Amino acid sequence: MYRVLEKRELAMRNVWYKIHAPHVARKVQPGQFVIVRAFPNGERIPLTPVIWDREEGWIVLITFIRGKTTMRMANELKVGDSILNVAGPLGNPAEMKKFGKILAIGAYTGIVETFPIARAWHELGNEVTTLHVTFEPMVILDDMIPNYVDRHILKPVPLDPNKDFPSNMKNVTKVLTETVREMLERENYDLVFMVGPAGDQKAVFEVVKEFGVPMKADLHPIMVDGTGMCGACRVTVGGEVKFACIDGPEFDAYQVDWDVLIARVGYYTDMERRAMEEYMKALQGGEQ
Ligand code: FES
């Protein structure tokens, strides 16, 4: 069992959990993830350790409440409670070497995955700029990240209450692509890295491609087992089928078939929404 040592809400729908998981803390490398099963018969969700302490044996995970499981975790888990299972570390560590000047981007909660990699690149002597674009009420880690990279650029996008959610998301994509374009016009980068929704990754890639800068992207399709057995996380890279959980999650953005990925990610959006609605209905009716 994995004890919850600390829990706090960081920003709208973003919850920080410090969890005792010595076997993960001992071995995890930037770029790797864990699969968490918080409750008996519960769903398994992939999450990325943001920071960890190898000696004290803890990791920090940040969840964004977007489905039934992350909502149950936010509602039901208290400090001192235990999570049923934390499997990992899984996936390949990010490539660690001297690239030179790096632009490391996190869109929305993608910054959670970008940060540990950017930090490690900076520690290796790379010049690292992180860029976080998200809705204003969802800004997280802006007090922590600047201490570990050369420059942190935050672009909070106001949520327009008169517009629906997809229109608001388009504003984020616009700010993201415009900012990346301005930065690449102004300075020479040796590498761009990005984590975020597949649609935004593709939009940024289209800009980066114009400048011919190498780009890596961590892909986050639906994952179930995280060990290459279920096939849920398959992506097409360089014309071949790959599994994000064992072959990635980091891939060369120039090789990714973005349209296939975007279509696959979209399959599950409705199911996630329905599961969350059912859970909320059950809560309102007093059931668990
Ligand atoms: Fe099952 Fe990758 S999550 S194969």
Side-chain angles (χ1 to χ4, degrees), residues 144-164:
M144 179 190 274
I145 297 176
N147 300 324
Y148 297 100
V149 294
D150 295 276
R151 182 169 52 149
H152 181 58
I153 300 173
L154 174 64
K155 293 272 176 173
V157 179
L159 259 172
D160 185 342
N162 299 316
K163 287 190 177 155
D164 61 8

Side-chain angles (χ1 to χ4, degrees), residues 33 35 222-234 243-246:
F33 63 94
I35 298 263
I222 290 287
M223 288 190 187
V224 180
D225 65 331
T227 59
M229 307 292 282
C230 71
C233 69
R234 71 179 179 277
F243 296 126
C245 67
I246 52 168

